[in-house]
Amino acid sequence: MKLFKTAVMLIVGLALGFFAGCTDDDGIDNRDLDYGYVQFKLYKEASYEAPQDDATQTQSRAVKPQLDYLAEASKVQVTLTSGEETIVQTLTLSAADAESAEYGMRSAKLKLLTGNYTITRFTLFDAEDGELYNGNAVDPDLTVVAGGLTVHDLTVNVQPRGKVRFTLTKDMSGFNPPKSRSGVSRQYIFEEIGSFDITVKDTETNNLVSFEKLPVTFSIHFDDPENTETAPGYQTSTCACDSLLSLPAGNYAVIKYVTYDSDGTLLETNTAPAESPFTVEDNRTTDSDVAVTLYEADEYMKDHYALYAIWKALHGDEWSYQGENYPVGSNWDFNKDPDLWSYQPGVEVHTNGRIAMIDISGFGFSGDMPKELGQLTELVELYLGTHNDTNVGFKDPTLDPDQSLTERSRNRMENHRALLHAMHPATQISWPCAFALREHGIHIRATELYDQGYTEDQIFEASTGRQRDIRPMDTSHGKLCNGLRSLPAEIGNLKKLEYLYIANSAIESLPDYEGEGREGMSGLAACTDFEVYNCPNMKKFPRAIAKMPKLVAANLSNNKQWEAQDLHDGLTELAEGPSKETLQMLYLTDNSLEELPASFRNFKRLGLLDLTRNNIHTLHPLGEEVAPVELVFSHNQIEEIPVDENGRFCNMDDLTEFSFSFNKLKKFPNIFSSEMISAISNVDFSYNDLQDYTDEEAAAFKGIYVQTLTLAGNPGLTKYPKWLGDSDSEVSYIILRGCGLTEFPEGCFEGKYSSRLISFDLTYNRLTDLPDDFSADTLPYLYGLDLSQNAFAKFPYEPMTCKGLTVFAIRGQRDEQGERCLREWPTGVYQHTGLRGFYIGSNDLRKIDDTISTAIWTLDISDNPNITFDASDVCYAWENGAYILIYDKTQNITNCEAMLE
């Protein structure tokens, strides 16, 4: 075999760079079969694993001290011998980056004649050609194969290093007996940790290494299934650090950790943590757990144990959730670390781990609430059933989970008004009148059910016009959803509790004061929103409520078991107690109250009072200092609304809703004034025993300023209330459905503000004609008029002069014998430019020869059995969906065959 002809040629070739210039990208020329290539790979000696079939390996010998990092080397000079020839070659070294270099570097390729070579030594240089290291090869022999590449390993004595990944785990070894914190700025929960510092010690050299502000990610997960100390499915949590940290190889122990929250605020410095030994090996990654001490004596941990005590006392193993907020059948689960016991459906915590909210409505709990409830001193909300338990699909705005507690408190009145409106839908106007208002973009409470998707047939009984009972509230007295029997007097420790709801429950009483630390209801210093709803086993009105100091909203409804006098006396105590200065909303529906306590005039801040469905027959004036926003006294036995010495039932400056429907009032109460500062939105005296005013009563009437006035269902009203115009009353919408109206007294619409009238629902009366002043001159802004179910034998043309009239209905006219009496089609109605809806169904129309306008795009001619209707004017628009014709296919519809298909 030939190396070179002479050694001189070799030296000259080296000097000319004959071997230089081979890079990683140089291809191997297989045509030059006398040559081959060699490439050297450098590895750290500490982690080098030699091929198992190489029995000649020896340790390299470091001539110079070990390197700190292999990446310090930039070039390698290799000295080779072959026979008597010596070759010295310097090659560049490369790696992807400094970190990758620790796992090996490779040299440029060296082109050599084929044959056997011996590596006598190698030298490493830095980037500036400074000599770093001299060493011997582990395996000095190599063979160059013709046209091939020989890769040969060199090992270097480099400081052995590895990577470590820390995970914060929980040390609960001090739970028995419980340990207390010392030297800690405040108690904190494991989940709060956002980053940490750590100091570790090499147990052989005692060298210390510290790392600072290492970010962590909190996660809850199942415990290691091989851990036989925990039950199957046991949950734990860790704070994992994703950072890979470099350490010299060796055995270590954690001697200190410092924890911070997500904002970098110091939580704890622990200089004596539980032992957490770990070993770092060269070029290997070690996962090390750092045990963070938890303290059973921390208040948040005590809260968690209180949760468990509550669950056990209320037969938690039998709980099974029924509702919409969580999966059906859900229960609390305590097969997890104690600091995770707050992760339960219906439980929320503050950032410091203290329990903030408990809602176990729907879980079917039963038993006596244990005294451990008093531990939850940071509790803000406690729901032990609510009035909304069984209302599937109804979103109660006062309990809206999408609103924060602050938002619910700020929007309290608005939310309660929305609830009140849902509980007691306003008397609705007829659909034609609602349709007219909708065409003008007007939405009022008298149209809200249409806006919610109800139809006229769903709202009213067709035979009487009486409005159906549409309420989303569960008022089934005695129907229980839980078996709570009692609350402990320690509930008085909950000084921050704001919301306390007890509903559909078997509870028998509320705890009263029993001494320091057992203050009962009087200790709830921050409780603003309170409810005792449908608790039939609570036979007496709970007088402890009267001692609650800061009530703002109270719902004491659906407790018919309270006797009238007991309820009256209990409410009197409430109105004379500390909450008289704060109470703003009071619900007392579906009870047995017979007399409104005179002491209610003490509720100076009362804004909403709901007394629906009681047996109230006696009222007392609320007085000038009580200025409510909404008053609902519907479904009682009230015959008269009394006034004080100033002639007022209450201050009406802020009043928007005033409902006394379904009572026994004999006369429209003269308690309002046409000179009020602002209009009341709704005044409802429907379904009473109202009679027509005498001339003297009409003359004394002070007027009213109201948007919607409802007098429906008062058959004693035979005359349209002319006294409205005479008293300068200002009304926009009038509902007189189902009264006994037979006439309009002369001059009904000559009042100062009669022109403000926009819509009339005069259905289900006995009207036969309209007065002459029912016209554009007096009613220029009339949008909707419904005269259906009256006794018109001739079509009343008077309203057709009102250019703004948008919808006109005159359905179902019947005479005294119940026979259809309207046969006249209003010729020329098509000329009205503003009309968009015309309802003339359920009459006795015959042949219609008039033009039918497509501008009146809703036409009802249904239930006219003898009609002949030429649909040629509207057929095309109807076929294209631009026209609504309400008709029967049995009717004689001509010139539009598609209508009869």
Side-chain angles (χ1 to χ4, degrees), residues 145-160:
V145 180
L149 174 65
T150 299
V151 177
H152 198 83
D153 296 346
L154 301 176
T155 61
V156 182
N157 186 5
V158 181
Q159 168 70 56

Side-chain angles (χ1 to χ4, degrees), residues 137-297:
V138 172
D139 177 10
D141 298 323
L142 64 85
T143 300
V144 178
V145 180
L149 174 65
T150 299
V151 177
H152 198 83
D153 296 346
L154 301 176
T155 61
V156 182
N157 186 5
V158 181
Q159 168 70 56
R161 278 186 173 80
K163 300 289 187 181
V164 63
R165 180 189 294 111
F166 291 112
T167 298
L168 302 185
T169 60
K170 293 176 288 192
D171 172 26
M172 294 179 283
S173 61
F175 273 27
N176 192 13
K179 290 182 180 180
S180 298
R181 293 182 184 270
S182 60
V184 181
S185 57
R186 67 172 176 85
Q187 297 179 6
Y188 72 94
I189 60 174
F190 188 69
E191 184 180 352
E192 279 189 87
I193 301 175
S195 63
F196 70 102
D197 301 341
I198 188 169
T199 300
V200 298
K201 180 178 71 174
D202 188 319
T203 57
E204 296 178 1
T205 66
N206 288 329
N207 289 336
L208 301 181
V209 182
S210 296
F211 301 98
E212 295 182 351
K213 293 297 178 69
L214 302 175
V216 295
T217 301
F218 174 82
S219 66
I220 299 175
H221 50 82
F222 291 111
D223 197 11
D224 185 347
E226 297 182 1
N227 185 356
T228 59
E229 296 181 3
T230 59
Y234 187 88
Q235 288 183 296
T236 187
S237 61
T238 54
C239 288
C241 175
D242 292 333
S243 304
L244 287 177
L245 308 170
S246 179
L247 279 175
N251 296 315
Y252 289 87
V254 177
I255 64 169
K256 176 184 176 182
Y257 65 77
V258 181
T259 54
Y260 306 89
D261 65 14
S262 57
D263 295 326
T265 302
L266 175 68
L267 294 174
E268 178 186 11
T269 299
N270 193 330
T271 58
E275 292 186 5
S276 302
F278 62 95
T279 299
V280 176
E281 298 178 345
D282 188 53
N283 281 357
R284 294 183 182 275
T285 298
T286 299
D287 289 315
S288 176
D289 292 341
V290 179
V292 175
T293 305
L294 299 189
Y295 300 90
E296 193 176 36

Side-chain angles (χ1 to χ4, degrees), residues 570-786:
L571 292 174
T572 297
E573 289 188 23
L574 177 63
E576 294 174 348
S579 287
K580 68 182 181 182
E581 306 293 340
T582 58
L583 192 68
Q584 298 178 34
M585 294 139 231
L586 181 58
Y587 298 87
L588 290 164
T589 67
D590 296 280
N591 286 321
S592 302
L593 188 64
E594 296 180 359
E595 179 181 357
L596 183 71
S599 59
F600 268 37
R601 63 171 52 238
N602 295 339
F603 290 132
K604 302 296 193 300
R605 300 187 64 186
L606 188 66
L608 182 154
L609 178 60
D610 184 2
L611 288 159
T612 306
R613 289 183 298 278
N614 278 270
N615 295 315
I616 300 173
H617 52 72
T618 303
L619 295 179
H620 296 281
L622 295 175
E624 178 67 25
E625 295 184 86
V626 179
V629 176
E630 307 217 3
L631 290 178
V632 184
F633 286 77
S634 301
H635 295 273
N636 280 287
Q637 308 296 319
I638 301 168
E639 297 183 7
E640 181 184 5
I641 301 178
V643 296
D644 61 13
E645 59 277 7
N646 297 314
R648 306 188 73 171
F649 174 67
C650 66
N651 187 322
M652 297 186 178
D653 290 346
D654 300 322
L655 196 63
T656 62
E657 302 284 336
F658 190 83
S659 177
F660 275 73
S661 62
F662 294 95
N663 275 283
K664 296 183 177 181
L665 294 171
K666 301 298 183 183
K667 296 288 183 176
F668 189 97
N670 191 10
I671 58 175
F672 306 99
S673 171
S674 59
E675 298 179 356
M676 294 174 61
I677 297 175
S678 59
I680 305 173
S681 296
N682 293 282
V683 171
D684 191 345
F685 290 109
S686 57
Y687 300 100
N688 277 275
D689 294 329
L690 297 183
Q691 305 294 316
D692 293 327
Y693 266 170
T694 63
D695 292 341
E696 293 78 12
E697 290 168 335
F701 184 62
K702 295 180 293 186
I704 187 171
Y705 184 17
V706 61
Q707 186 181 57
T708 303
L709 177 61
T710 303
L711 301 174
N714 283 284
L717 294 179
T718 63
K719 302 177 182 179
Y720 181 85
K722 179 177 179 294
W723 34 267
L724 289 174
D726 293 344
S727 60
D728 292 338
S729 294
E730 188 171 345
V731 184
S732 298
Y733 317 103
I734 292 183
I735 303 176
L736 281 161
R737 179 176 57 253
C739 295
L741 294 184
T742 59
E743 64 175 302
F744 288 85
E746 185 177 351
C748 277
F749 304 110
E750 295 178 356
K752 180 179 179 180
Y753 296 111
S754 294
S755 60
R756 306 288 176 88
L757 285 164
I758 295 175
S759 184
F760 289 86
D761 180 352
L762 298 170
T763 57
Y764 293 91
N765 284 290
R766 301 305 302 154
L767 295 169
T768 57
D769 58 16
L770 294 178
D772 293 340
D773 60 350
F774 204 109
S775 65
D777 292 337
T778 54
L779 302 170
Y781 304 110
L782 182 64
Y783 290 158
L785 174 62
D786 195 344

Side-chain angles (χ1 to χ4, degrees), residues 63 497 521 554 705 731 826:
V63 177
L497 187 67
M521 306 304 291
Y705 184 17
V731 184

